[in-house]
Amino acid sequence: MILTAHTDSRSLAFTRRDDLAKLSQQGPARPDHVIRTKRVPMLGRDLGAYALEYKRYFDELAPKAREPKTMLDAAPRVVLDPPLGVCTLGKTAREAAIVYDIYSQTMDIVLRATRLGGYQALSAKDIFDVEYWDLEQAKLRKGGKRAVHRRGGAVTRAAPASARPASTRCWRAARR
């Protein structure tokens, strides 16, 4: 996985909000965003806790599905961490950039909705139904095998600092 950290002032301001947990843990702005961003971002750096929560989400909702489901990998696609900013992950740098584009729009929508009285995403069940919709799973499988449970690993640099903008750092996460 490639991890890109966005440390521009807008990203850092969002990750340092006092109400970040409330704003960020409701779900995506659009149900189809779950295909790229997962239902909720990881807060901080506890990958184990995030994976356990993702497994709990799957275990709670999969039995309610009409057809059996295979759990997708439990790795986050968005990480919100005050010192690191908004981090996004993907199999490639391009995928990580797409995740950031989507989550950047989500940040705008959430902040605007909050100013207008509040943001509310669809229910976890509705988001799960989109994330695990058979046609969406088939689309993901067509791009490569993703329906595997993977564990995160060590983080090392993927590109020299001179090859990337000052507000963006790329990292490669190695699998164990």
Side-chain angles (χ1 to χ4, degrees):
M1 297 286 279
I2 300 293
L3 182 143
T4 304
H6 301 270
T7 57
D8 56 283
S9 60
R10 180 175 162 269
S11 294
L12 289 172
F14 186 78
T15 62
R16 294 173 180 168
R17 290 181 60 97
D18 291 335
D19 57 353
L20 181 64
K22 178 183 176 193
L23 294 181
S24 68
Q25 300 301 294
Q26 294 184 54
R30 288 182 34 173
D32 60 317
H33 287 176
V34 73
I35 302 304
R36 296 282 191 168
T37 66
K38 297 286 187 177
R39 186 175 74 83
V40 296
M42 182 171 86
L43 297 178
R45 301 178 193 182
D46 192 343
L47 184 58
Y50 183 88
L52 284 174
E53 180 57 29
Y54 186 85
K55 185 176 179 343
R56 186 204 59 76
Y57 157 75
F58 179 83
D59 290 345
E60 176 186 324
L61 297 170
K64 299 174 185 174
R66 287 188 234 170
E67 299 172 6
K69 304 295 180 190
T70 301
M71 189 174 94
L72 300 170
D73 72 298
R77 297 303 187 269
V78 178
V79 178
L80 305 176
D81 184 80
L84 296 177
V86 176
C87 301
T88 55
L89 293 97
K91 282 175 40 179
T92 65
R94 182 177 182 273
E95 280 187 19
I98 291 169
V99 172
Y100 181 73
D101 286 344
I102 291 170
Y103 201 75
S104 179
Q105 293 173 14
T106 298
M107 289 187 310
D108 289 340
I109 291 166
V110 167
L111 293 173
R112 287 177 183 150
T114 299
R115 284 192 300 267
L116 293 171
Y119 172 75
Q120 183 175 350
L122 290 176
S123 70
K125 183 198 178 313
D126 290 335
I127 299 299
F128 180 89
D129 289 344
V130 174
E131 183 175 9
Y132 283 91
W133 183 38
D134 288 332
L135 292 177
E136 290 295 346
Q137 283 196 29
K139 184 169 44 170
L140 290 174
R141 282 191 296 270
K142 185 177 180 181
K145 293 183 180 181
R146 289 188 131 181
V148 224
H149 188 94
R150 296 183 183 162
R151 294 183 183 199
V155 177
T156 58
R157 281 188 182 235
S162 60
R164 54 188 192 271
S167 65
T168 304
R169 291 174 283 159
C170 294
W171 307 87
R172 181 179 303 277
R175 291 189 297 160
R176 285 187 220 182

